[in-house]
Amino acid sequence: MRFSLILGALLMSTAAQAADWKLVIHGGAGVIERSRLKPVQEKEIRAALDRALAAGSEILAGGGSALDAVEKTVKVLEDDPNFNAGKGAVFTYEGKNELDAAIMDGRTRAAGAVTGVTMTKNPVGLARRVMENSPHVFLSREGADQFSKEQGLEQVPNSYFATPERRRQLDEMKARKVGSFDVDLKYGTVGAVALDAQGHVAAATSTGGLTGKRWARIGDSPIIGAGTYADDRACAVSATGAGEYFIREGVAHEICARLRFTGESAKAAADTVMAEVKALGGTGGVIVVTPKGETEYSFNTPGMYRGKASAEGRSVAIFGDE
Ligand code: ASP
């Protein structure tokens, strides 16, 4: 009798805890307006966001870690050609695909990141290997490619990442002789932040960067503290937008720092930091989750591909007024 009472209490507390998991994703922010998105594209993107949420939710609902959930969720988005990460990444000026990714574990603030990788099918998986199987945090280019092979990760030819739409965008940018920031870049970087049933947070981000990037340019996404950050004492953040401004603001760390030192809500911290990015001239957005269970979006663009999941269900959105 006594035993069954204790067992009952234990089961109830596990159920209560398990109900607390959260997942938030983005698939890029930018000039995403109803008039610019064909209905079929819109449908495809909503379905893709939902698939990614479903994959991460399965892990979290089963009691899995936030870290596993963000990695899996981002992999689903990397495999989808609609987003600027993995397959479907934007082209460099030279017509190649060079990929950036990062992952961070809020429990220990362990982090892994890669930039300019060219052959790893899922760059977020490589970032996780850097975190767990190397003494380093950040690897670049040929060295990162080499480490990926040594780790036995799935390798693909660089042409695997290419899509006709991204080629068209590069051609258009070159024809109009404009810079990466002047064109409608159709930002499509992907990211996920999660809170697991054990109360831990994690973040992951993956991107091809900016259309027509040159000179081995690195954006904010793989820079720990700029595009990606996770800290159980504060929150987990993944960003998307004009990376140069996010680096200068230190966006992801800045939001976490505000949470630790000001006691304000996640929404207030994210909105303040995004307003500061805007004041510098930068556009984009962030997703945030806190150990308390707050889940927030904040963006200063017309739209952001985004979604949320919890034990209560899943929802996706694209336009600013949703
Ligand atoms: N933040 C990414 C970068 O600057 C681009 C994006 O989010 O679309 O590389």
Side-chain angles (χ1 to χ4, degrees):
M1 168 72 181
R2 187 133 172 234
F3 174 74
S4 66
L5 269 179
I6 294 171
L7 189 69
L10 263 176
L11 283 174
M12 266 174 69
S13 77
T14 315
Q17 269 186 2
D20 281 334
W21 62 268
K22 309 273 182 194
L23 177 65
V24 189
I25 62 171
H26 70 75
V31 187
I32 306 168
E33 289 163 334
R34 283 190 176 78
S35 58
R36 290 172 172 239
L37 210 54
K38 293 190 200 100
V40 28
Q41 268 179 305
E42 183 183 329
K43 224 175 125 189
E44 251 184 49
I45 286 165
R46 287 185 194 275
L49 291 169
D50 188 60
R51 265 198 306 278
L53 284 173
S57 299
E58 199 184 327
I59 292 175
L60 292 164
S65 70
L67 192 65
D68 286 342
V70 294
E71 182 187 2
K72 176 69 195 171
T73 304
V74 166
K75 278 184 176 167
V76 172
L77 294 167
E78 284 179 339
D79 291 343
D80 192 304
N82 285 297
F83 302 97
N84 172 19
K87 187 164 184 64
V90 298
F91 281 98
T92 64
Y93 194 83
E94 289 76 27
K96 278 184 69 186
N97 295 106
E98 297 181 355
L99 311 165
D100 300 341
I103 193 163
M104 187 158 180
D105 185 345
R107 285 175 291 200
T108 53
R109 277 172 283 145
V114 290
T115 180
V117 300
T118 59
M119 294 175 323
T120 305
K121 180 166 180 265
N122 290 110
V124 71
L126 179 55
R128 182 152 182 191
R129 294 298 181 97
V130 172
M131 176 174 94
E132 291 178 344
N133 294 354
S134 91
H136 307 299
V137 168
F138 200 3
L139 299 183
S140 71
R141 305 181 73 78
E142 293 82 5
D145 282 339
Q146 176 66 31
F147 178 71
S148 176
K149 277 191 252 164
E150 287 173 16
Q151 288 291 309
L153 293 180
E154 185 172 355
Q155 306 291 301
V156 290
N158 195 244
S159 58
Y160 160 82
F161 302 108
T163 61
E165 174 59 13
R166 295 302 188 192
R167 167 62 66 182
R168 190 198 62 69
Q169 287 171 16
L170 177 66
D171 292 345
E172 185 187 321
M173 180 196 145
K174 286 187 171 174
R176 283 165 52 200
K177 292 199 171 54
V178 292
S180 293
F181 290 114
D182 302 324
V183 280
D184 168 15
L185 296 162
K186 301 200 173 50
Y187 293 122
T189 292
V190 306
V193 294
L195 165 66
D196 62 32
Q198 291 73 42
H200 302 300
V201 296
T205 312
S206 183
T207 188
L210 297 181
T211 300
K213 65 182 183 180
R214 309 171 84 169
W215 311 301
R217 175 264 185 195
I218 304 170
D220 61 312
S221 311
I223 296 181
I224 299 303
T228 308
Y229 203 72
D231 180 350
D232 271 4
R233 298 171 302 174
C235 64
V237 180
S238 171
T240 175
E244 280 66 7
Y245 299 91
F246 285 69
I247 294 172
R248 288 165 56 201
E249 174 75 8
V251 164
H253 186 271
E254 184 78 0
I255 293 171
C256 289
R258 290 191 74 93
L259 283 179
R260 285 176 61 210
F261 301 126
T262 69
E264 64 196 2
S265 69
K267 181 69 181 153
D271 285 351
T272 302
V273 172
M274 285 312 299
E276 289 180 4
V277 169
K278 193 172 179 191
L280 293 177
T283 56
V286 290
I287 52 173
V288 186
V289 68
T290 67
K292 282 193 268 179
E294 294 161 286
T295 56
E296 300 296 345
Y297 310 119
S298 180
F299 51 100
N300 61 25
T301 47
M304 179 163 87
Y305 299 138
R306 59 199 187 277
K308 284 186 188 181
S310 70
E312 278 83 60
R314 303 196 293 268
S315 65
V316 301
I318 295 181
F319 309 110
D321 57 11
E322 287 181 78

